[in-house]
Amino acid sequence: MVRHLGLYLNITISSIQQCFVTGTGDNTPLPAKHHVAKDSPEMMSKLLDESGSGGDKTIRNVILAAVGVSVAAVTGYGVYKLVRQYLENTPPKQWRRVGELTDLHVYPIKSCGAIRLTQMDCSTIGPKLGLLRDRIFMVIQTDGTFITGRSHPKLVLVQPRFDDQYETMTLSAPGMMDIAVDVKRLFSVEPVKASVWGQTVTAVDCGEELARWLSRFLLSEDFGLRLVFYPLAHPTRPVREKNLIHINLTPRDSGALHDATSFMLVSEASVADVNARVDKPCSAVQYRPNFVVKGPGAFEEDDWKWIKIGETVYRNVKACTR
């Protein structure tokens, strides 16, 4: 299954030649709540020993002492909850190799074509290389609401590409002349407001020429659609209400103009498994992941809590409904 990832350890270059995916999927069930009060010291010791925490003796001794002198069982359980929360939010120190990175993809415009890379930087708003960034542009209607390939299927035929300096984007589409976007110039344009899934975002309008080009291709009209750009270097949106059930998903993960998170991953085996059960097979890129990995069995990535590619650490925060 396609997985949404949250960036934990910031800004490291990933290379398709040298990066391996490693992960932890320790699914050992935690002790049931009604067992904790009875055997608090033992439960705490087991949690610390199996968590990959490296056996921090100071923390462990303080916790065990606190539990040992607790007058009420609820106190021991409270300490247990704090330790559990700490460990669940801390990446493991030991990793096991689970696969190899085979593809890196960036989608500069929501619902438009992918650009395949051999290396990229990882930032809190997603993958980037120079001014090429993931989901940094989107097509909007005149009221500021965005459109996607769900409602406008021809949008997926728009193919962006960047120059060698990663400063200028050129768009191609069937039956249309190519058109260029000076991305660097957009940072000096006065921002406006647009909307992603009902959430207001800061955006920069890319101008009349781009608006007319997109309107003609998608609507066969001279107006109706515009292209906007996200000029900020950090996420600004809260977690969408429908995603609040995913407790590990935070506003820091919301990316630029992404649906939910800054990064997505899928395995080749999962795609192959789905293709074996449908009439019209599709490629991994149709799920629009940033990372494609080989090695793990189908859907094994669902159980990875943490993922490490090179020296960059990601947290598995939710499944993608695609």
Side-chain angles (χ1 to χ4, degrees):
M1 184 179 292
V2 186
R3 306 302 303 184
H4 281 291
L5 307 181
L7 182 66
Y8 181 85
L9 190 61
N10 210 7
I11 309 179
T12 299
I13 295 179
S14 300
S15 170
I16 199 169
Q17 285 86 8
Q18 63 187 16
C19 283
F20 296 92
V21 181
T22 53
T24 177
D26 182 7
N27 294 317
T28 304
L30 291 167
K33 290 183 179 180
H34 63 276
H35 288 158
V36 176
K38 180 179 179 181
D39 298 307
S40 291
E42 289 77 14
M43 295 301 181
M44 301 292 283
S45 178
K46 183 176 187 295
L47 179 59
L48 287 167
D49 288 343
E50 294 183 353
S51 67
S53 65
D56 189 323
K57 293 183 178 179
T58 301
I59 295 176
R60 177 174 172 168
N61 290 341
V62 169
I63 292 169
L64 292 180
V67 175
V69 300
S70 295
V71 177
V74 67
T75 304
Y77 179 56
V79 177
Y80 166 82
K81 285 183 66 177
L82 289 175
V83 176
R84 175 179 172 176
Q85 184 179 25
Y86 168 78
L87 294 176
E88 287 183 347
N89 286 284
T90 303
K93 293 184 178 180
Q94 295 183 349
W95 300 83
R96 61 183 177 88
R97 175 175 168 174
V98 293
E100 183 178 350
L101 190 65
T102 58
D103 264 326
L104 294 172
H105 295 288
V106 173
Y107 310 84
I109 309 175
K110 284 179 72 70
S111 286
C112 293
I115 295 179
R116 187 182 184 190
L117 299 176
T118 57
Q119 66 176 29
M120 67 183 186
D121 294 333
C122 300
S123 74
T124 52
I125 61 168
K128 67 175 185 176
L129 191 59
L131 296 182
L132 165 59
R133 302 180 185 185
D134 192 59
R135 277 89 167 183
I136 204 76
F137 292 90
M138 67 179 179
V139 181
I140 63 170
Q141 301 178 96
T142 53
D143 63 358
T145 58
F146 81 112
I147 66 168
T148 71
R150 301 174 183 89
S151 58
H152 295 73
K154 287 179 65 177
L155 197 54
V156 302
L157 300 177
V158 176
Q159 180 60 55
R161 66 180 186 273
F162 270 69
D163 64 345
D164 293 340
Q165 288 72 43
Y166 294 99
E167 293 181 351
T168 300
M169 179 176 70
T170 300
L171 304 184
S172 303
M176 302 291 291
M177 297 286 290
D178 289 358
I179 188 169
V181 185
D182 183 354
V183 182
K184 194 173 184 179
R185 181 190 66 83
L186 297 176
F187 288 96
S188 62
V189 177
E190 189 70 22
V192 296
K193 296 296 181 182
S195 175
V196 180
W197 295 116
Q199 296 178 319
T200 300
V201 293
T202 297
V204 169
D205 192 289
C206 296
E208 296 299 329
E209 191 176 359
L210 267 298
R212 186 163 49 251
W213 190 91
L214 287 166
S215 298
R216 286 177 176 174
F217 177 64
L218 295 170
L219 305 178
S220 299
E221 302 282 351
D222 283 338
F223 61 90
L225 299 174
R226 307 193 70 83
L227 184 69
V228 295
F229 168 75
Y230 186 80
L232 305 179
H234 54 85
T236 58
R237 289 175 292 145
V239 176
R240 291 168 60 194
E241 185 174 355
K242 63 172 286 188
N243 290 328
L244 290 175
I245 59 172
H246 304 288
I247 60 174
N248 293 325
L249 190 60
T250 71
R252 183 177 181 270
D253 303 319
S254 61
L257 302 172
H258 301 72
D259 283 358
T261 66
S262 317
F263 297 90
M264 288 177 61
L265 175 148
V266 71
S267 74
E268 292 181 350
S270 297
V271 175
D273 184 276
V274 173
N275 283 341
R277 292 181 280 155
V278 297
D279 295 331
K280 295 181 179 180
C282 61
S283 66
V285 75
Q286 287 179 266
Y287 292 96
R288 305 183 71 76
N290 301 116
F291 306 120
V292 181
V293 298
K294 69 176 181 180
F299 311 114
E300 283 186 14
E301 64 269 29
D302 291 359
D303 295 326
W304 299 343
K305 295 180 182 179
W306 297 90
I307 299 165
K308 186 177 182 183
I309 303 176
E311 295 303 316
T312 308
V313 177
Y314 307 86
R315 187 169 192 174
N316 187 346
V317 294
K318 70 179 291 288
C320 176
T321 52
R322 294 190 181 114

